[in-house]
Amino acid sequence: MSTVDDVAGRQVGGFALPEPERDTSRRTLLGWRLAVVALLLVCWEVVPRLMSAPSAFVVPLSASLRAGADQWSPIVESLWPTLSAILCALLFAWLVGIVGGFVIGTSPRLRFLLLIFGALYAVPLVVVYPLISVWLGPGQVSKVLFASLYGVVPVLLTTASGVRSVDEGLHRSALSMGASPRQLLTKVLIPAALPVVVSGLRLGGGLVLIAVIVCEMLASTSGGIGTLITAYRVQFNAGAVYFCILVVLAFALVMDQTLGAIERRVAGDSAKTRTQPTPG
Amino acid sequence: MTIPQLNAERTRTDEAVIRVTGIQHSYRTARGPVPALENVDLSAGPKRFVSIVGPSGCGKSTLLMILAGLVTPTAGERYVAGAKVTGPQPDQVAVAFQDACLLPWRSALDNVAFPLELRKDPRAEREARARELLEKVGLAGYADRYPRELSGGMRQRVAVARALIQRPAVLLMDEPFGALDEQTRMDMGEELLRLWDEIHNTVIFVTHNLAEAVYLSDEVIVMAARPGRVVERVLIDLPRPRPVEITETEKFLHLRNRLWRLIRSQE
Ligand SMILES: Nc1ncnc2c1ncn2[C@@H]1O[C@H](COP(=O)(O)OP(=O)(O)O)[C@@H](O)[C@H]1O
Ligand SMILES: [Mg+2]
């Protein structure tokens, strides 16, 4: 039928984006970003010198790096407590959030729990950390527990809403084709909800990182980068404080970029086209 | 009534591939029950093309969902191939919905093969069958396309191919061409008939387009709203195969007008 071919031709034409053009635009974007970062670093170095501000508060980049080198071994020793707490809390928050979100999202009778978790999202959970640290001591366990609590809420909420927003028609047509409850979950619900779920993981990941650092800053005996930041602040070692902040920023960047890449990948997969391969 | 006549009558009802009797249905909502169907009987014999027409909201979709086993009626019974059953019967009954309901992350081929995948057929076999069906619906070159790369009409063909891969004795279609423009709709109707001549199973086809109903069907069930019920069963005794020109014959127009009057008289 000629009309069909015509329509198809137009559609595919509309989708086709010439590859080289995309490539260069991505490259210029990256170039701009690097330029902005370089400019900021230069400002960091130059502005404090020009201002000749008291060195206890504002220090140039080079002084921060020197302080970092001086304090190298305590900083390296603090990496593992922070990193391991983040990883454990991420695992817990993601697992519980995804499973809980799927259970709540698929059963209408549990929907009311969403309201409770939604309210929890608005409460500044930091207030419970002192309690947790009294019950469990200020070590790794209380850190992981608090960060998990902090991170699980957005994962659970987004997963549940992702599952609920799956098209009723997909569900119904899979049922009519004889899908078992298990097949419905693995072949329809999970792939359909995946892009939303991954964006929830990203949100929760950010909160877990914040929570771990905050715990460490609040409790001087818990160890980790946050504790170190507080210690250097008390010692008026501004250079080392800045260096530690850089380390935390690096953590955040690596995590966010990784999840962002996964998110794009998943979103790309669910809308994959022949003329437009997933970038990367 | 003579004995042979009685026998003929009995075999006809016994033969019904799909049948529902005494169907009563209300939707339960927060604002109380919403009555949708009242005392509906419907049966379709083998190799019959049956259309259901009626005003919007008269319960056509509800009835089709009940026939598909996707909605459990408040009261009434459902028989598929003579057996009283509940729930979907993927080996006997397939459904094509108005919005094609394709899985957007799967290619046309993988969408068509999906029912066989659910049945755990070997990959090579299900892909070969899916290709065969895509070819049948005129999409041989589009196996690797994703739903969003296809036009509305093409998506609907994929949905039909996916339903047919189940080799259903009964194919249920809920306004499958309702979202398409008039020209595409006519083309699709013509093609559906050509396809059906080949497969020749039982089709129950919901539409609100009376010309479409007459053109396609052996019989048309006319429904009315408030409460949703069947008011008439009109036999369409037009010869087959039916070229498109048949839509201009006096007989065709007469049948269409009769349906139109039936629906009007219920309002
Ligand atoms: N999920 C539902 N919940 C409540 N009422 C519904 C639902 N689906 C349909 N109805 C009601 O049932 C009646 C029949 O609807 P439907 O079967 O969709 O009619 P049709 O397909 O003929 O337009 C309508 O009054 C409609 O509002
Ligand atoms: Mg409808």
Side-chain angles (χ1 to χ4, degrees):
Chain A
M1 212 191 294
S2 71
T3 54
V4 168
D5 290 335
D6 288 345
V7 170
R10 265 205 308 283
Q11 286 234 334
V12 174
F15 274 98
L17 265 170
E19 262 325 285
E21 205 174 292
R22 284 171 58 80
D23 240 32
T24 45
S25 77
R26 279 173 67 83
R27 227 172 279 148
T28 35
L29 190 65
L30 189 65
W32 272 108
R33 283 186 185 158
L34 287 178
V36 168
V37 171
L39 188 70
L40 283 176
L41 290 178
V42 169
C43 287
W44 185 1
E45 184 63 35
V46 173
V47 174
R49 290 179 191 280
L50 293 181
M51 287 192 343
S52 66
S55 66
F57 296 104
V58 192
V59 290
L61 175 60
S62 56
S64 307
L65 293 180
R66 220 174 310 123
D70 283 346
Q71 300 293 323
W72 190 245
S73 75
I75 289 174
V76 168
E77 273 166 33
S78 300
L79 285 180
W80 181 239
T82 302
L83 204 59
S84 59
I86 290 174
L87 291 177
C88 288
L90 274 185
L91 196 71
F92 182 84
W94 286 355
L95 220 65
V96 173
I98 290 176
V99 173
F102 264 97
V103 170
I104 293 177
T106 48
S107 56
R109 261 181 284 166
L110 295 178
R111 291 273 161 80
F112 72 95
L113 286 175
L114 288 181
L115 288 177
I116 297 175
F117 280 105
L120 215 57
Y121 199 29
V123 173
L125 280 177
V126 184
V127 295
V128 304
Y129 178 66
L131 279 181
I132 293 179
S133 71
V134 167
W135 291 335
L136 299 175
Q140 291 294 93
V141 179
S142 62
K143 237 197 275 183
V144 170
L145 181 67
F146 176 71
S148 307
L149 281 180
Y150 218 84
V152 78
V153 179
V155 178
L156 195 142
L157 288 177
T158 24
T159 302
S161 82
V163 173
R164 283 178 61 186
S165 64
V166 171
D167 184 4
E168 174 72 17
L170 294 187
H171 195 266
R172 221 179 355 216
S173 74
L175 275 181
S176 78
M177 291 180 259
S180 66
R182 190 204 169 105
Q183 287 175 322
L184 209 56
L185 187 70
T186 57
K187 293 186 186 286
V188 180
L189 279 183
I190 290 179
L194 203 58
V196 183
V197 171
V198 174
S199 71
L201 296 185
R202 197 174 176 184
L203 274 177
L207 289 190
V208 161
L209 187 106
I210 293 172
V212 166
I213 302 292
V214 165
C215 286
E216 293 174 347
M217 291 177 78
L218 286 178
S220 60
T221 51
S222 83
I225 295 285
T227 303
L228 216 53
I229 290 177
T230 307
Y232 289 139
R233 185 169 54 87
V234 174
Q235 298 163 16
F236 296 103
N237 188 348
V241 169
Y242 280 108
F243 188 82
C244 290
I245 292 175
L246 277 182
V247 171
V248 174
L249 272 180
F251 276 179
L253 265 180
V254 168
M255 187 172 74
D256 197 63
Q257 289 296 306
T258 311
L259 287 173
I262 294 175
E263 196 177 343
R264 276 193 301 279
R265 179 72 206 271
V266 168
D269 270 355
S270 64
K272 209 183 321 180
T273 69
R274 265 198 325 184
T275 47
Q276 203 178 331
T278 38
Chain B
M1 208 183 262
T2 62
I3 300 292
Q5 255 179 330
L6 240 177
N7 279 342
E9 192 66 33
R10 182 173 300 144
T11 44
R12 198 144 53 105
T13 47
D14 281 352
E15 253 180 12
V17 184
I18 189 161
R19 182 159 66 98
V20 287
T21 58
I23 294 294
Q24 206 79 250
H25 190 70
S26 325
Y27 284 103
R28 279 189 293 169
T29 68
R31 275 171 283 110
V34 176
L37 291 174
E38 205 161 290
N39 200 20
V40 171
D41 297 317
L42 186 148
S43 70
K47 306 183 197 311
R48 296 290 275 180
F49 199 119
V50 180
S51 285
I52 302 176
V53 299
S56 159
C58 70
K60 303 185 292 294
S61 297
T62 306
L63 181 54
L64 206 80
M65 288 301 120
I66 289 171
L67 286 164
L70 292 169
V71 165
T72 308
T74 315
E77 284 163 5
R78 166 169 169 260
Y79 299 84
V80 175
K84 190 174 161 190
V85 288
T86 56
Q89 308 291 320
D91 293 334
Q92 285 154 316
V93 182
V95 194
F97 299 88
Q98 172 166 0
D99 33 0
C101 292
L102 302 178
L103 300 173
W105 57 89
R106 283 173 170 252
S107 66
L109 185 78
D110 289 343
N111 264 294
V112 175
F114 191 50
L116 301 187
E117 188 179 324
L118 294 175
R119 257 169 33 186
K120 304 199 173 72
D121 283 6
R123 172 180 287 272
E125 193 178 306
R126 63 189 193 231
E127 286 191 355
R129 288 261 291 130
R131 272 184 210 288
E132 198 180 296
L133 275 150
L134 276 176
E135 193 172 329
K136 236 179 215 159
V137 298
L139 291 178
Y142 297 85
D144 297 334
R145 295 291 172 84
Y146 286 79
R148 62 182 220 140
E149 297 174 287
L150 302 173
S151 67
M154 294 162 92
R155 277 201 286 268
Q156 209 50 255
R157 285 156 205 262
V158 175
V160 169
R162 180 177 65 178
L164 291 179
I165 207 170
Q166 292 174 241
R167 294 189 205 275
V170 184
L171 174 60
L172 305 173
M173 304 175 96
D174 189 0
E175 306 204 29
F177 312 142
L180 306 179
D181 61 86
E182 195 56 36
Q183 179 57 44
T184 317
R185 180 186 202 124
M186 286 301 291
D187 291 344
M188 294 285 286
E190 204 185 341
E191 257 185 86
L192 179 62
L193 272 196
R194 215 173 326 127
L195 205 59
W196 182 68
D197 276 338
E198 213 178 299
I199 297 154
H200 225 63
N201 59 357
T202 301
V203 177
I204 299 185
F205 187 95
V206 168
T207 178
H208 59 250
N209 187 315
L210 301 183
E212 189 175 64
V214 175
Y215 176 63
L216 295 172
S217 316
D218 295 314
E219 50 195 276
V220 177
I221 312 271
V222 181
M223 289 183 69
R226 271 164 274 120
R229 63 199 189 276
V230 173
V231 290
E232 183 91 54
R233 180 175 188 146
V234 179
L235 287 180
I236 308 294
D237 47 357
L238 296 170
R240 291 189 191 269
R242 295 177 185 167
V244 187
E245 293 73 41
I246 206 169
T247 56
E248 283 152 32
T249 61
E250 198 160 323
K251 182 141 194 204
F252 183 97
L253 294 173
H254 173 77
L255 283 163
R256 206 208 59 171
N257 290 341
R258 175 148 174 242
L259 292 180
W260 190 71
R261 276 195 306 273
L262 273 167
I263 290 174
R264 274 285 301 268
S265 68
Q266 301 297 328
E267 280 173 357

